[in-house]
Amino acid sequence: MKYLQLTQKGNYTIVQLDRGKVNAINRQMVDEMRATFKQLEADDRVKGVIITGKPHYFSAGLDVIELYQYDEEQMSDFLVAFGSMHIELARFSKPFVAAISGHAPAGGLVIAITCDHRVMAAADKYTIGLNEVAVSIQISQNLVDAYAFWIGQGKASEYLLDGKLLNPAEALDCGLVQEVVPLEQVLERAEEKMKHYLRADEVIFKRTKAKV
């Protein structure tokens, strides 16, 4: 893999996004994500997954410079693959925690919102949210539903139509993230939450997660 770094920590795996300074998402990164999580789902030795980025950037979203070079067919194929990745991550049956190490707007949140728990770095400069309307990009119904699941239908409507990006404190207040801690503690706290999840009966956790 070129853009993902995997670290095994006992019975769980840390997946680090690793593409340039801001972890901009392109087709190869999407393909690697889909293949990696298919493998992690099938590997009985892996009981849970933490996904994280680099200091200051979880992911800044789609690599619009590269995507601008795609022709119509390539763009269509990319959007199908990106949407499929979101659904597949949302259906990941094992404990799944996001260690949001900085900015996570748009495509960054598309990944993070599929997690069961999100820990975000504390700094007013960091942003998170779905600003697609503000940049004239159509959002999918699946993503609207996922956003509304966490922050409520009313807030989702308001924020989506405004193209609003939130700082960590705002994201915590509306339920988009569950914890805000100093940057250097983000991964540590995510691992603590993972260990908490892994104390549950594996089958019951998966069945409960599937229901909610």
Side-chain angles (χ1 to χ4, degrees), residues 3 13 15 50 65 93 149 210:
Y3 298 135
T13 298
V15 176
I50 295 171
I65 296 175
S93 71
F149 176 84

Side-chain angles (χ1 to χ4, degrees), residues 30 33-35 37-38 41 78-94 96 107 109-116 139-147 150 209-210:
V30 168
M33 285 281 289
R34 297 181 70 189
F37 275 84
K38 183 177 181 179
E41 181 73 66
F78 171 79
L79 292 174
V80 169
F82 185 66
S84 297
M85 178 196 72
H86 170 77
I87 293 169
E88 290 160 7
L89 292 177
R91 290 177 175 170
F92 187 68
S93 71
K94 302 175 183 182
F96 190 19
L109 183 58
V110 171
I111 294 172
I113 205 171
T114 64
C115 294
D116 307 311
I139 193 170
S140 70
Q141 186 64 53
N142 285 326
L143 193 50
V144 171
D145 293 344
Y147 204 44
W150 289 107
K209 179 174 176 175

Side-chain angles (χ1 to χ4, degrees), residues 27 30-31 34 70-84:
R27 179 59 189 266
V30 168
D31 290 345
R34 297 181 70 189
Y70 291 0
D71 61 28
E72 185 174 352
E73 183 177 358
Q74 289 173 317
M75 180 61 75
S76 178
D77 288 346
F78 171 79
L79 292 174
V80 169
F82 185 66
S84 297

Side-chain angles (χ1 to χ4, degrees), residues 22-41:
V22 303
N23 282 329
I25 301 166
N26 70 347
R27 179 59 189 266
Q28 184 173 341
M29 193 177 194
V30 168
D31 290 345
E32 288 186 13
M33 285 281 289
R34 297 181 70 189
T36 295
F37 275 84
K38 183 177 181 179
Q39 294 170 0
L40 293 170
E41 181 73 66

